[in-house]
Amino acid sequence: MEGQVPKSLASCTSLEILNLGSNQISDTFPCLLMKISTLSVLVLRSNKFHGGIECSEIYGTWQRLQVIDLAHNFFSGGISGISLPSSLTKISNIYWSEFRQLNDLPPETIGHEYFDKYFEEAITVTSKGLNMKLVKIMAAFTLIDLSCNKFNGSIPEYSEIYESLQVFNLSNNDFTGEIPSSFGDMLQLESLDLSQNHLSGKIPQKLAELTFLSFLNLSNNQLVGNIPTGPQFSTFSKASFLGNKGLWGFPLDNMVVLSPPRSHGIPPKSAHKIDWDLIDIEIGFVFGLGIAIGSLFFCKRWRKWYYRVMYNIVLMIFPQLDQRIGNHRRHVYIAPRWRR
């Protein structure tokens, strides 16, 4: 499909899932859809959407949006005022509340039956580095995918409103600044992809405390410092940290990376690597010099030839020395004859 998102969709007040992915739609972010309070899944991936994604509050706010996929478009600008739901942590509580009311359960009842509620709709999302087709969308599943766009600026601090987020993908953008330490508060986070950006600074130690994190990709940024240690971080491969020249520590211990800083001015130990190319040049120079000098000492014929060549060179540079040296030479050879 081509063209723009029909404005009449804002009148579908009972709409729960809108999947416009993999088309040729060229439009700005459809802020009118924020009037649909029942919307839970919004997929706009692989189109030609462009511009910013910030919307005015006059359009309303999403109360139940749990999946928003804007990947592979041309969105730009920052996301500090991102028009995402301000109640992601309430999503599970909403469905649990509905389940209690439906089954006439007391408020203090805690159970997991509400997880059996699904949306009977299949969508394709990127989770844990792979394209996955969700045949059924669990009511408590939360995902934000803004990858492969032109977003820039710093990543805003996300606090308790994103506590229940499970998949977060901001890869292949132009984000700068540091990784917010508040990402460590996403206790339900299972997949985090920040690769292919311009992020700098250190990896927050709090990320190592996320017990559900099973996929992490921070590759191709400008991160520095020691990689945090933790039960989950020890399971990640080198590919999760490649392309960050300033990172060191496990699992990059055996790779060519910057050495950790040393205290008290002690220089880091360097590996004793022999540069054979340089040694070959030095050996050749010494060997050639030795042959030349040895020939002068031990070969009379070579020595005479060498003196004669040097003499001619000196006369070419200083021709006025020829007469003076010639007179001296005649004096040297005549004196022996006079003694006879």
Side-chain angles (χ1 to χ4, degrees):
M1 296 187 295
E2 299 178 349
Q4 298 179 335
V5 177
K7 296 181 179 180
S8 58
L9 282 176
S11 302
C12 302
T13 56
S14 299
L15 190 64
E16 294 184 350
I17 296 177
L18 178 60
N19 186 357
L20 300 176
S22 300
N23 281 288
Q24 299 293 323
I25 300 176
S26 179
D27 199 357
T28 57
F29 187 73
C31 293
L32 287 172
L33 298 179
M34 298 188 70
K35 295 182 178 180
I36 307 176
S37 60
T38 57
L39 193 63
S40 296
V41 177
L42 175 62
V43 178
L44 304 179
R45 66 157 42 218
S46 300
N47 278 282
K48 298 179 181 179
F49 286 96
H50 54 273
I53 60 174
E54 299 181 1
C55 297
S56 173
E57 294 182 357
I58 61 175
Y59 292 102
T61 57
W62 282 308
Q63 298 297 322
R64 298 190 177 186
L65 191 65
Q66 61 185 85
V67 173
I68 179 168
D69 189 347
L70 309 181
H72 296 277
N73 280 287
F74 301 96
F75 289 116
S76 59
I79 61 172
S80 57
I82 189 172
S83 303
L84 294 176
S86 59
S87 56
L88 275 175
T89 55
K90 300 177 183 179
I91 290 177
S92 298
N93 294 332
I94 289 175
Y95 289 107
W96 175 234
S97 176
E98 291 179 352
F99 180 82
R100 288 200 313 265
Q101 295 175 8
L102 185 63
N103 294 276
D104 194 22
L105 297 176
E108 64 274 9
T109 303
I110 299 177
H112 298 280
E113 293 86 352
Y114 74 98
F115 283 111
D116 292 331
K117 180 174 180 178
Y118 292 92
F119 290 105
E120 296 291 340
E121 177 67 24
I123 63 172
T124 299
V125 298
T126 301
S127 177
K128 302 181 181 180
L130 300 173
N131 288 333
M132 298 182 178
K133 185 174 182 179
L134 301 182
V135 180
K136 292 183 178 181
I137 307 172
M138 192 169 64
F141 178 73
T142 53
L143 175 145
I144 296 177
D145 191 346
L146 308 180
S147 63
C148 300
N149 281 283
K150 298 180 180 180
F151 292 115
N152 53 47
S154 59
I155 301 176
E157 293 279 347
Y158 290 136
S159 56
E160 68 278 357
I161 63 173
Y162 287 92
E163 184 177 339
S164 64
L165 189 60
Q166 294 174 315
V167 179
F168 198 21
N169 191 346
L170 299 180
S171 63
N172 287 277
N173 281 286
D174 295 315
F175 289 111
T176 56
E178 299 184 354
I179 301 175
S181 59
S182 58
F183 277 17
D185 297 328
M186 301 180 187
L187 302 181
Q188 306 299 321
L189 193 63
E190 299 179 10
S191 176
L192 176 62
D193 193 343
L194 304 177
S195 62
Q196 300 289 341
N197 281 285
H198 306 287
L199 300 175
S200 57
K202 297 182 178 180
I203 302 175
Q205 177 64 39
K206 293 182 67 176
L207 287 183
E209 302 174 5
L210 297 177
T211 56
F212 288 103
L213 191 62
S214 59
F215 177 83
L216 176 68
N217 192 351
L218 304 178
S219 63
N220 296 298
N221 280 285
Q222 300 170 11
L223 301 174
V224 298
N226 188 15
I227 298 175
T229 57
Q232 291 300 109
F233 266 58
S234 62
T235 64
F236 299 138
S237 65
K238 297 176 182 178
S240 298
F241 308 99
L242 290 176
N244 294 279
K245 296 182 178 180
L247 279 183
W248 57 275
F250 182 84
L252 298 179
D253 282 337
N254 298 325
M255 300 187 66
V256 181
V257 296
L258 294 180
S259 301
R262 302 299 181 96
S263 58
H264 307 294
I266 301 176
K269 295 181 179 179
S270 59
H272 299 284
K273 184 178 179 180
I274 300 176
D275 191 342
W276 289 106
D277 293 335
L278 182 60
I279 290 180
D280 290 341
I281 296 175
E282 294 175 350
I283 293 176
F285 176 78
V286 173
F287 183 73
L289 184 62
I291 292 178
I293 296 177
S295 300
L296 292 177
F297 277 101
F298 302 106
C299 182
K300 184 177 181 181
R301 184 177 179 182
W302 168 255
R303 187 165 59 250
K304 289 182 177 181
W305 177 85
Y306 174 76
Y307 289 151
R308 185 168 57 253
V309 171
M310 295 302 298
Y311 174 73
N312 293 332
I313 293 176
V314 171
L315 291 182
M316 291 176 61
I317 300 175
F318 306 102
Q320 65 273 17
L321 296 178
D322 186 27
Q323 183 177 2
R324 184 176 301 178
I325 295 176
N327 294 335
H328 176 70
R329 184 182 299 170
R330 285 195 300 272
H331 175 75
V332 171
Y333 288 111
I334 292 172
R337 294 178 183 177
W338 180 80
R339 288 193 183 96
R340 291 177 184 178

